[in-house]
Amino acid sequence: MIDERPLWAARLYTSTKFSEKENPKKEINTVFSNQERETLRTLAEHVAELSCRPIENEKKDLWYRHNVLESVRPLILCDPENGWNEIITEDQMLCQNNLARHWEFWLRQLIFWGESMNDDRVIEPYFDIPYVFIESDWGMQEKKIGGEGGGSYRWIAPMNDYSLIDELHFPQIEVDYEMTNHILSLAEDVVGNALKVRLKGMWWWSLGISEIAVYLRGLEQMMYDMYDHPEELHHLMRFLRDGILAKLDYLEKNNLLCLNNTGNYVGSGGMGYSHQLPQKDFDGSHVRPIDMWGFAESQPTVGVSPALYEEFIFPYEKSILDRFGLNCYGCCELINQRWEAVKGFLNLRRVSVSPWANREDMAQKLENRYIYSLKFNPSYLAVPNLDEKFIRQEIRRYLEITKGCVVEIIMKDNNTIGNNPQNVIRWSKIAREEAENFWL
């Protein structure tokens, strides 16, 4: 997942991360004007009002039932991602301070979700503050060329020879507790009267390792390595696996992990509400991976055979995901081609079925034993006006294909929504109408 938005527009899914060359104390200005404080308080009060609606508890109950594989109507989640910049535009933003703008943007997202989008995202009375931290790289860093303004880019992979592998090291995390606590206190002061402020960081989007390898070695070169340098590639994948496991160990030991079994976005689509997490022996404060949802994918290797995926990717990601209580897998892969391996992940619950996967095949493979996370093509929304007839037909067709499955309908990965916020509103409305009619 690549988020090209400015700091204030990024989603609050991960902790606030800085590179080794940056100083968080200098980067974060925590002085808000009175007008900024009043703007944030007003928005927070609006979110709190939305969270009190009976429908929020109804949606929450549906997610709990859905995530335990109970038969309920297909649930809908629409996250426009980069399209948010076309919904919440510069002329709407009132705050000038970067951190205040970050908070304002998030609160406005929640209000739009609750008032206009009307999908199944639950609006809750919480305001989560992430940790501020520095994380080193793996000992090498790719050089990106292009990418300005969210555009395409290429990169120069730094590890052009496997003789350099000894220069790699595990990433190191340094948490700035002073700044984290300062921001937490600031949030309490600004929005604490309306929303419950929580310290709730998330340290990754995906625990997949193929993207790390691709940036270090290069995409084409990594594919050649599967034939020309298989032992060296296995060595690299073992090292990356061990580095991620070491990160999990560090976060668990230092009590930095947070539960993600309520209103958390988990995997590449879907909400985390689950009574199966945390584990029964959870002590109420010290979170372990086994108490959480895990997630991995291997989108960069979509061009390799199922056998090569099973040899070079699956066993290393399995060692990571097997530590988690429930798991999600996949994003934009043709998941049906590698299903025989993927179904071997422990505690697998949510499976991404992308627009490029064989929908019919996956319906037969998943049945009602896994969540069928049905992804729709984001290009449908990248136009000035929706082709509503086509979208309705598509949703209806795929609901028929997935009959008997535990289905959620997901719209994400949008780089643009055609500069028309009505596109996501209308898509969500059509998806809801079709899901409700299908369920009758």
Side-chain angles (χ1 to χ4, degrees):
M1 180 178 67
I2 300 173
D3 194 336
E4 299 290 352
R5 286 166 286 183
L7 172 65
W8 54 267
R11 291 179 298 177
L12 300 181
Y13 288 160
T14 57
S15 295
T16 305
K17 176 181 175 181
F18 293 84
S19 72
E20 293 176 281
K21 297 180 181 179
E22 296 173 316
N23 184 336
K25 291 184 176 65
K26 292 181 181 179
E27 295 290 333
I28 303 178
N29 177 3
T30 58
V31 179
F32 293 0
S33 69
N34 289 337
Q35 181 181 2
E36 288 169 333
R37 288 169 173 264
E38 184 58 32
T39 294
L40 294 172
R41 286 194 187 101
T42 300
L43 292 173
E45 288 168 359
H46 197 163
V47 171
E49 291 172 0
L50 292 173
S51 73
C52 293
R53 299 179 301 179
I55 194 174
E56 304 309 321
N57 285 329
E58 294 171 14
K59 290 186 290 186
K60 189 184 303 183
D61 178 64
L62 285 173
W63 281 110
Y64 276 117
R65 295 166 59 192
H66 172 75
N67 284 334
V68 80
L69 304 179
E70 188 175 331
S71 182
V72 298
R73 72 156 171 83
L75 297 182
I76 301 154
L77 182 64
C78 179
D79 185 348
E81 297 196 357
N82 285 337
W84 279 114
N85 290 321
E86 298 168 16
I87 297 171
I88 303 167
T89 54
E90 287 285 345
D91 61 307
Q92 298 177 48
M93 299 291 294
L94 300 178
C95 295
Q96 298 301 313
N97 174 286
N98 271 347
L99 180 61
R101 286 173 77 82
H102 182 59
W103 291 359
E104 179 185 358
F105 195 85
W106 177 242
L107 291 169
R108 290 189 185 278
Q109 282 187 39
L110 293 176
I111 292 168
F112 185 89
W113 248 314
E115 286 190 337
S116 301
M117 194 107 74
N118 290 316
D119 61 356
D120 288 311
R121 196 193 197 289
V122 182
I123 308 302
E124 294 193 306
Y126 302 119
F127 193 78
D128 293 339
I129 297 298
Y131 290 90
V132 177
F133 71 100
I134 294 171
E135 183 174 8
S136 70
D137 58 25
W138 290 84
M140 300 179 190
Q141 186 67 48
E142 75 280 355
K143 180 181 178 181
K144 291 187 177 181
I145 301 171
E148 294 82 6
S152 62
Y153 64 86
R154 60 187 177 90
W155 71 93
I156 299 174
M159 199 173 77
N160 54 26
D161 191 281
Y162 274 111
S163 64
L164 300 174
I165 198 168
D166 291 338
E167 297 182 17
L168 295 177
H169 58 69
F170 294 167
Q172 300 296 310
I173 292 174
E174 180 184 344
V175 178
D176 188 334
Y177 290 100
E178 181 182 352
M179 180 57 76
T180 298
N181 290 329
H182 178 62
I183 293 175
L184 192 67
S185 296
L186 176 64
E188 286 276 9
D189 182 49
V190 175
V191 301
N193 286 338
L195 301 173
K196 183 177 180 179
V197 176
R198 305 183 298 185
L199 179 60
K200 198 173 178 69
M202 185 175 174
W203 302 88
W204 60 82
W205 172 67
S206 167
L207 291 162
I209 61 175
S210 56
E211 184 171 304
I212 305 170
V214 161
Y215 277 121
L216 288 172
R217 189 71 177 133
L219 179 57
E220 291 184 10
Q221 188 58 58
M222 181 179 168
M223 292 183 179
Y224 284 127
D225 289 347
M226 293 178 180
Y227 291 95
D228 296 338
H229 303 286
E231 291 307 314
E232 292 89 343
L233 181 56
H234 276 298
H235 184 184
L236 175 61
M237 301 307 277
R238 285 193 298 269
F239 185 88
L240 298 179
R241 173 203 63 194
D242 293 346
I244 292 176
L245 290 174
K247 177 177 180 176
L248 289 176
D249 289 339
Y250 174 85
L251 294 171
E252 180 179 349
K253 179 181 178 181
N254 289 276
N255 204 23
L256 292 167
L257 294 173
C258 297
L259 294 176
N260 59 354
N261 66 322
T262 53
N264 306 91
Y265 180 93
V266 294
S268 62
M271 306 304 293
Y273 294 98
S274 175
H275 293 306
Q276 293 180 278
L277 299 172
Q279 302 297 319
K280 292 180 180 179
D281 64 347
F282 176 59
D283 66 7
S285 61
H286 191 81
V287 179
R288 307 155 299 177
I290 195 67
D291 299 312
M292 303 175 63
W293 287 90
F295 169 58
E297 40 66 49
S298 187
Q299 300 172 88
T301 64
V302 68
V304 309
S305 70
L308 290 174
Y309 165 82
E310 188 167 0
E311 178 182 354
F312 289 99
I313 309 299
F314 172 74
Y316 303 108
E317 292 189 333
K318 186 175 190 303
S319 297
I320 298 167
L321 290 191
D322 280 1
R323 292 186 60 177
F324 288 83
L326 290 172
N327 278 309
C328 313
Y329 196 82
C331 192
C332 292
E333 299 100 317
L334 282 73
I335 198 73
N336 54 289
Q337 294 183 354
R338 50 184 59 168
W339 175 246
E340 289 306 308
V342 167
K343 69 181 182 181
F345 285 114
L346 191 64
N347 301 322
L348 182 61
R349 180 60 54 85
R350 174 174 271 110
V351 178
S352 173
V353 184
S354 77
W356 300 276
N358 186 315
R359 313 280 206 181
E360 293 88 346
D361 189 25
M362 286 309 298
Q364 294 176 17
K365 287 177 164 61
L366 299 182
E367 296 180 318
N368 61 356
R369 294 172 293 141
Y370 307 89
I371 294 170
Y372 190 121
S373 193
L374 175 60
K375 306 293 183 58
F376 277 85
N377 197 322
S379 66
Y380 295 168
L381 273 61
V383 291
N385 296 289
L386 293 185
D387 184 339
E388 295 192 10
K389 181 179 179 181
F390 171 76
I391 287 174
R392 190 177 296 278
Q393 289 173 342
E394 283 284 279
I395 294 174
R396 188 174 299 173
R397 180 163 71 94
Y398 287 128
L399 286 175
E400 283 295 330
I401 288 171
T402 58
K403 195 171 186 177
C405 297
V406 181
V407 180
E408 58 191 24
I409 302 174
I410 308 295
M411 174 58 72
K412 62 185 293 291
D413 297 314
N414 305 88
N415 283 318
T416 178
I417 55 169
N419 285 303
N420 184 0
Q422 284 297 317
N423 282 354
V424 294
I425 295 172
R426 290 296 303 158
W427 184 89
S428 297
K429 186 175 189 298
I430 292 169
R432 177 176 290 279
E433 289 173 353
E434 291 303 317
E436 290 177 346
N437 290 337
F438 179 79
W439 189 245
L440 291 177

